[in-house]
Amino acid sequence: MTTRFSLPGSRLLQSYHAPGWLPGGNAQTIFPYFVNLNPAIRYQRERWEMDDGDFIDIDWLEGEPDKPLVILFHGLEGNSQSHYALSIMRFLQTLRWRGVVIHFRGCSGSPNRLPRAYHAGDSQDIDRMLRYVTQQNDSRKQNTVCYVVGISLGGNALLKWLGEQGTQAARLIAGTVAVSVPLDLAVAGKVLDFGFNRVYTHHFLITLKRKALKKNKQFPGLLDAKAVAACNSLYEFDNLVTAPLHGFRDTDDYWRQSSSKPWLGSVRVPTLLINARNDPFLPESVLPQRSEVSPFVSLEFPQQGGHVGFMYGAFPGKLDWLPQRIVNFFSLL
């Protein structure tokens, strides 16, 4: 059954065009992190105790009970306070839609309990989380229409889950949008280790290494603490931490098995993939062709936007284009 929700004064947005004062993929990526453009969101936090002894923290945005629920999976080391999460939830709030940000293990501000954490191909956790949240939605006797947004790493895990589930995914959700996805993790990992991109790598490694070293204190002997402290690339970190903690042989095995691009042909839920062609995390040459995705996948690859940037308007700019594009896509399903 197709459900359409009208938006007051809404229209199908034109393709993204970056403001003239913010040129280049790096500037478009970095600027939103340093400018506070989003008022705080008052979430209602729920802690879900999982069967494996761990927990997931879930931040709910309340809305009208007859409006859709939008579920958001954040990116690497992101959370419900990330600029993209705040801008999307703020826009949902203006529409009185409901929203929820699901934190991956260890990303909510509290360390998770198990040796494992989260990773880019964790479609099993995506499945657990979606089933839990949609069941909660049903138990509240609210509107059962659920949409999902995946950002960067969260988008990769979501797309992989969609491909694995095929037609079964439609039993839980009605549509998805994936944004700035590192579709080929091997390529993305390599480009992040060269040139200016090492700034992003350093940024990620600060918190990744800190968490890993705390995990090693929690579970003595779990990791090679000296090697973790000394590593300076995502390839090294994934070889020392991510791969062994999550059952992969090494980094190459982890990146190969976890990349979402091979699964795009198996997606059977309406999905919009938004990746800027100047995203510094993924070369334009890796973006999929129409022949590589299923008829359920719409491709939108603007020339500009950076990595989860997509700012527009006069200085200091706004972050409304992406939330509006997401909601417009869902409203037309």
Side-chain angles (χ1 to χ4, degrees):
M1 179 178 178
T2 300
T3 304
R4 188 183 296 265
F5 294 88
S6 61
L7 305 179
S10 69
R11 59 186 175 84
L12 184 62
L13 298 183
Q14 294 181 347
S15 184
Y16 174 78
H17 296 283
W21 58 267
L22 193 62
N26 288 315
Q28 292 158 12
T29 299
I30 295 171
F31 191 80
Y33 285 90
F34 294 98
V35 181
N36 183 12
L37 299 173
N38 294 297
I41 295 289
R42 181 174 295 179
Y43 296 108
Q44 293 185 5
R45 174 156 292 190
E46 173 193 0
R47 176 159 292 186
W48 169 37
E49 295 289 343
M50 303 175 71
D51 292 339
D52 62 7
D54 217 337
F55 67 89
I56 296 293
D57 282 336
I58 302 170
D59 283 355
W60 293 89
L61 173 70
E62 295 300 322
E64 295 179 3
D66 61 339
K67 297 294 179 69
L69 173 66
V70 177
I71 303 165
L72 187 144
F73 291 110
H74 60 77
L76 180 64
E77 292 301 273
N79 54 51
S80 62
Q81 299 302 318
S82 297
H83 71 79
Y84 51 80
L86 291 174
S87 64
I88 292 170
M89 293 296 143
R90 173 61 61 188
F91 189 64
L92 296 179
Q93 193 172 53
T94 65
L95 301 172
R96 300 300 301 158
W97 284 31
R98 294 173 297 120
V100 58
V101 181
I102 306 178
H103 292 95
F104 291 116
R105 303 180 195 230
C107 290
S108 64
S110 300
N112 67 305
R113 301 185 186 120
L114 300 184
R116 61 152 299 169
Y118 70 104
H119 63 86
D122 201 352
S123 51
Q124 290 186 346
D125 259 10
I126 293 286
D127 189 70
R128 293 188 188 100
M129 295 169 180
L130 285 178
R131 291 184 186 279
Y132 177 79
V133 169
T134 54
Q135 287 170 4
Q136 291 294 96
N137 188 54
D138 291 343
S139 68
R140 297 182 183 191
K141 297 182 180 179
Q142 294 178 317
N143 192 290
T144 58
V145 176
C146 295
Y147 303 117
V148 189
V149 177
I151 305 293
S152 192
L153 174 146
N156 186 81
L158 174 62
L159 289 174
K160 181 172 177 282
W161 176 82
L162 286 169
E164 292 171 346
Q165 293 292 316
T167 57
Q168 298 300 310
R171 295 185 176 185
L172 297 179
I173 60 176
T176 67
V177 176
V179 181
S180 299
V181 181
L183 300 158
D184 186 321
L185 294 173
V187 174
K190 290 174 182 177
V191 300
L192 283 170
D193 279 340
F194 291 96
F196 184 85
N197 283 352
R198 292 191 59 80
V199 171
Y200 304 118
T201 296
H202 176 72
H203 170 74
F204 288 133
L205 286 176
I206 290 174
T207 55
L208 287 170
K209 289 165 65 171
R210 182 188 304 134
K211 287 181 180 179
L213 292 174
K214 286 183 178 179
K215 187 73 66 177
N216 194 62
K217 289 183 178 180
Q218 183 182 0
F219 300 95
L222 179 69
L223 303 168
D224 183 340
K226 289 185 178 180
V228 172
C231 79
N232 59 10
S233 72
L234 290 176
Y235 187 93
E236 287 180 282
F237 181 86
D238 284 343
N239 223 31
L240 292 165
V241 180
T242 313
L245 291 189
H246 299 97
F248 299 100
R249 184 178 63 252
D250 52 24
T251 296
D252 294 322
D253 183 48
Y254 161 49
W255 286 355
R256 179 183 60 80
Q257 289 199 50
S258 299
S259 294
S260 61
K261 188 175 180 180
W263 291 100
L264 294 177
S266 302
V267 174
R268 293 297 180 269
V269 170
T271 296
L272 174 63
L273 175 59
I274 303 174
N275 270 62
R277 294 182 182 273
N278 70 343
D279 186 335
F281 290 24
L282 191 74
E284 179 181 355
S285 60
V286 181
L287 295 175
Q289 302 296 313
R290 180 70 258 173
S291 60
E292 297 178 280
V293 305
S294 85
F296 289 82
V297 178
S298 300
L299 303 177
E300 189 163 325
F301 301 146
Q303 293 296 325
Q304 304 288 315
H307 187 76
V308 205
F310 302 106
M311 297 195 68
Y312 80 102
F315 183 87
K318 299 178 180 179
L319 288 168
D320 292 344
W321 182 87
L322 183 59
Q324 290 183 36
R325 184 68 190 92
I326 289 168
V327 171
N328 268 276
F329 177 76
F330 291 151
S331 68
L332 295 173
L333 296 180

